[in-house]
Amino acid sequence: MGLGGGAPLLDSQAGGVIRGRVEVPRERAPLARRPSVSSFGAPAGRSLPDRRVSVVYLATAPAGTPPAPAPLKPVTMDQRGETFIPHVLAIRTGTTVNFPNSDHIYHNVFSLSQPARFDLGRYPTGQSKAVRFDRPGGVRVFCEIHSHMSAFILVFDHPYFTLTGPDGTFSLEGIPPGTHDVRAWNEGDLSDPARVVVRPRDAVALDLQVR
Amino acid sequence: MGSSLQGKRRSPSSLEAGGIVGVCALLFCWAGSVSAQTLPDSPIVLADRNLTISGSVAASFGSEDLGFFNYTEYERSVLRTVRLELTAALTAGRHVTVLGALRSDNGERPIPHAFYVRLRPWAERPFDIQVGRVPQTFGSYSRRTYAVDNPLIGYPLGYQYLTSLRADAVPRNADELVGMRGRGWLSSFSVGEPTPMAGVPLVSAFRWDTGVQVHAGGPAIDGTISVTTGTPARPLVRDDNGRPQVAGRLEVRPVFGLVLGASASRGPFVGAAAARAATGGETAGAFTQTAWGVDAEYARGHYLMRLETIVSRWTLPLVGEPRLRLPLTATAVSVEGRYKVAPGVYAAARLDRLGFSHVTGSAGRASWDAPVTRVEVGGGYSLQRNLLLKLAYQHNVRDGGRVRRQSLGAAQLVFWF
């Protein structure tokens, strides 16, 4: 999993904490490789992404959300074993993501998602290319050569988001006092928004269920 | 931003062929109403992940091909075909996989064009044995004939263009062969099967051969050999001429992005019935197709280049005067390039040349079939990752036949999962 420019960067002393667990009704199977009918032999093995990780975030940025510190620290989405690692990144607008190729084959990272359309072309092992994400939204990332490779980058225009652990637990810290709608995301599916009231230096328990 | 993060899944719509204008209008309407990445994009997985099924639809709508430049052995133009294809892989442990593919063109009865067992004796070693109706060993393009792998709509001439040669009928003499120049889409000879039918391409992109294929390799080099019933021009399910074809292919990857390949094959071409009709004896195995091919692919960044050359030689029975000068040779050269100009948008071009050796008939010396040159340019736009719209323009020139020059336009919509 990966996180860039999220809530832990803020002054957690001033805000509250939302803790809980995201329940995913069923774990999504990773994208299957297309049958290699026209090949002379079986394809090479590949790593499998961890699709249990969810993202928890405030549905809207609270008033007075501070601007992102500049420059934001770049984050990395590696290509290794014909898999994007991590499978999910949550970042703040303005973050640059590096896409190194750690495999001994070509990869070609691209996305046709509206917040970030890009195509990095083919590049070999040991090389890396980068994309800066300036618009909020969900970005699906693919490899043009290996159709079973996919990943998600969720770009937020505020810092109030976090990733769950593989067990679904999360801790969203540094939340400004007030009433907020909180949502969870997993593999393109969302929970219903849950309204919570956060008080200074207080912790709120919240469990979310992705539909 | 919540809704923008939610993945939407819809079923693919079926398309009705209504001509190029109607389809383009439909596509533009569809593109306008469908946001990016909303159709299903992954294969179907069943039986505890042991059965994987993927599919594709390629709907092509093009100008009427009066010169039959784009016709295939299935007697239809590749520019005017709606093809549905299903492929499946069933794994049984780490050593055995059963693979198959069903294809239906223009709503006709599905054809199982691939069906074989892949055995991997050592699970961790790249050594495979494939038995059944297997991919063609010969050539490079023969294993990337799916529409999504073809940057244009037309096919390379060497894999699609129909020469006048047939395996079930042979020309009585050089005059009869020369008389069929430029008429491979409906060829007829007086020895063997009398019904006019399509001739054969140098290598068939549309049929797979039947036999045993052995492959071994690593990151820098791999090789494949096979023993099958047909030949590159005429893959078969059941042998009809008594002896098998032997084919081999070697691929090396000396640097990143560069693949160099060489292929060779030799096998009996003429069917037993035609050979008997020509010679009066059982000598079908003597009338062969021998083919050599070299190919190269280089890709880096946003561009991709491919070059492939095929030389095919056929030996036919000599029946009457003026005699054929054997072997009959055909040479195909294809150069193809693709450049991605923007995310989801690419431009592509292919230059093809197909030439033939000469024979001497009563009217003098002539190539045994009419040489063809084709230039095809086009491009593609990804409406979403697995939904691609292609447009192409192609110009054909042929030194023979009733139609000697023809320009054709086509659109193709490709959806795959």
Side-chain angles (χ1 to χ4, degrees):
Chain A
M1 73 181 91
L3 193 67
L9 298 175
L10 292 184
D11 176 10
S12 59
Q13 299 298 313
V17 179
I18 303 171
R19 292 198 184 99
R21 187 170 179 278
V22 175
E23 187 181 335
V24 179
R26 64 192 184 291
E27 184 189 342
R28 287 267 175 75
L31 288 190
R33 192 195 297 267
R34 303 186 79 206
S36 56
V37 174
S38 58
S39 300
F40 289 141
R46 62 159 175 151
S47 307
L48 294 177
D50 186 348
R51 294 160 76 99
R52 295 169 297 174
V53 174
S54 301
V55 180
V56 179
Y57 60 97
L58 298 191
T60 55
T65 295
L72 288 166
K73 186 180 172 188
V75 296
T76 295
M77 178 173 274
D78 198 1
Q79 302 162 84
R80 195 185 318 143
E82 296 185 25
T83 302
F84 289 111
I85 300 172
H87 177 61
V88 179
L89 272 179
I91 59 172
R92 199 165 176 189
T93 49
T95 303
T96 295
V97 177
N98 294 310
F99 295 94
N101 180 1
S102 300
D103 279 334
H104 289 283
I105 51 175
Y106 261 149
H107 287 303
N108 187 151
V109 188
F110 78 99
S111 176
L112 301 178
S113 299
Q114 287 180 351
R117 285 177 75 93
F118 63 89
D119 186 326
L120 300 182
R122 299 181 183 205
Y123 51 96
T125 184
Q127 289 192 11
S128 181
K129 294 195 177 183
V131 177
R132 184 181 146 122
F133 292 84
D134 288 322
R135 293 170 60 190
V139 178
R140 274 202 90 171
V141 177
F142 297 105
C143 174
E144 188 222 15
I145 304 167
H146 306 99
S147 62
H148 49 277
M149 288 177 66
S150 79
F152 291 92
I153 299 175
L154 274 59
V155 188
F156 295 90
D157 56 2
H158 61 70
Y160 308 112
F161 57 86
T162 192
L163 293 167
T164 69
D167 61 352
T169 58
F170 70 91
S171 177
L172 188 53
E173 300 174 359
I175 305 300
T179 302
H180 305 289
D181 287 335
V182 182
R183 298 192 89 158
W185 171 102
N186 180 273
E187 296 292 320
D189 293 332
L190 293 171
S191 70
D192 289 326
R195 183 150 292 183
V196 295
V197 178
V198 176
R199 295 186 175 82
R201 299 179 185 82
D202 198 5
V204 180
L206 176 67
D207 288 340
L208 296 161
Q209 183 169 21
V210 173
R211 286 173 293 185
Chain B
M1 84 182 253
S3 61
S4 68
L5 298 179
Q6 190 163 21
K8 299 170 187 168
R9 291 170 178 81
R10 298 178 188 173
S11 298
S13 301
S14 61
L15 288 174
E16 293 295 328
I20 189 168
V21 175
V23 169
C24 286
L26 172 68
L27 293 177
F28 285 120
C29 291
W30 195 5
S33 63
V34 178
S35 60
Q37 295 166 13
T38 56
L39 289 171
D41 60 2
S42 62
I44 299 164
V45 178
L46 302 168
D48 198 21
R49 298 192 63 76
N50 288 315
L51 176 61
T52 306
I53 300 170
S54 70
S56 65
V57 181
S60 308
F61 307 91
S63 319
E64 188 175 0
D65 190 351
L66 299 171
F68 299 93
F69 290 100
N70 289 276
Y71 271 64
T72 75
E73 61 237 64
Y74 287 105
E75 298 178 6
R76 63 179 66 91
S77 167
V78 298
L79 305 185
R80 305 183 103 183
T81 300
V82 178
R83 168 168 293 177
L84 286 79
E85 189 140 18
L86 280 178
T87 60
L90 175 64
T91 58
R94 301 175 71 198
H95 302 284
V96 180
T97 307
V98 180
L99 298 108
L102 273 178
R103 174 188 293 163
S104 170
D105 286 349
N106 295 339
E108 293 175 0
R109 184 177 61 84
I111 298 170
H113 73 93
F115 186 68
Y116 62 92
V117 178
R118 175 183 293 155
L119 305 170
R120 177 163 273 208
W122 301 278
E124 304 304 327
R125 294 186 189 175
F127 177 83
D128 299 272
I129 302 167
Q130 303 190 147
V131 182
R133 197 162 197 193
V134 295
Q136 289 240 32
T137 301
F138 189 92
S140 166
Y141 189 85
S142 46
R143 283 172 313 288
R144 53 182 184 85
T145 58
Y146 297 107
V148 70
D149 298 323
N150 181 2
L152 294 158
I153 302 174
Y155 283 60
L157 289 172
Y159 287 91
Q160 168 265 313
Y161 185 82
L162 300 174
T163 70
S164 61
L165 294 188
R166 291 172 51 177
D168 59 349
V170 295
R172 181 166 301 281
N173 53 36
D175 289 344
E176 204 171 283
L177 179 62
V178 170
M180 281 294 130
R181 290 174 87 250
R183 292 181 57 183
W185 56 277
L186 197 64
S187 174
S188 66
F189 297 119
S190 60
V191 181
E193 171 59 47
T195 310
M197 293 176 74
V200 296
L202 277 61
V203 182
S204 174
F206 304 95
R207 297 177 196 266
W208 288 12
D209 214 344
T210 308
V212 179
Q213 192 170 52
V214 179
H215 167 260
I221 185 168
D222 61 66
T224 307
I225 56 170
S226 65
V227 178
T228 56
T229 54
T231 69
R234 186 173 169 253
L236 293 171
V237 177
R238 288 199 184 91
D239 188 27
D240 70 348
N241 47 25
R243 291 219 316 247
Q245 169 194 242
V246 177
R249 176 167 172 79
L250 186 69
E251 272 188 12
V252 294
R253 289 173 280 277
V255 295
F256 244 99
L258 177 62
V259 182
L260 303 173
S263 308
S265 75
R266 181 178 171 86
F269 171 73
V270 177
R276 259 196 314 274
T279 65
E282 291 288 349
T283 53
F287 308 120
T288 59
Q289 180 188 10
T290 304
W292 296 273
V294 292
D295 54 88
E297 174 181 304
Y298 185 69
R300 191 166 186 93
H302 293 98
Y303 66 86
L304 171 68
M305 294 291 297
R306 291 180 177 129
L307 166 69
E308 184 158 10
T309 298
I310 301 166
V311 178
S312 178
R313 291 184 171 177
W314 288 272
T315 304
L316 301 182
L318 296 172
V319 181
E321 300 289 342
R323 293 204 161 199
L324 300 172
R325 182 180 173 192
L326 297 177
L328 301 175
T329 303
T331 303
V333 180
S334 173
V335 183
E336 176 185 297
R338 184 197 73 177
Y339 183 75
K340 289 195 265 185
V341 296
V345 183
Y346 70 81
R350 183 187 296 131
L351 174 63
D352 267 309
R353 170 74 179 171
L354 178 57
F356 301 93
S357 61
H358 287 73
V359 294
T360 304
S362 305
R365 193 166 174 267
S367 59
W368 63 264
D369 204 337
V372 185
T373 302
R374 174 187 292 165
V375 179
E376 183 166 345
V377 295
Y381 174 69
S382 294
L383 300 168
Q384 62 180 59
R385 179 179 77 123
N386 56 341
L387 183 61
L388 173 67
L389 171 64
K390 297 187 217 171
L391 297 172
Y393 167 85
Q394 131 185 157
H395 184 66
N396 299 276
V397 178
R398 180 169 53 203
D399 183 25
R402 278 182 292 186
V403 179
R404 298 197 169 203
R405 290 175 178 269
Q406 191 168 22
S407 297
L408 302 163
Q412 184 182 65
L413 187 69
V414 184
F415 169 75
W416 59 267
F417 65 89

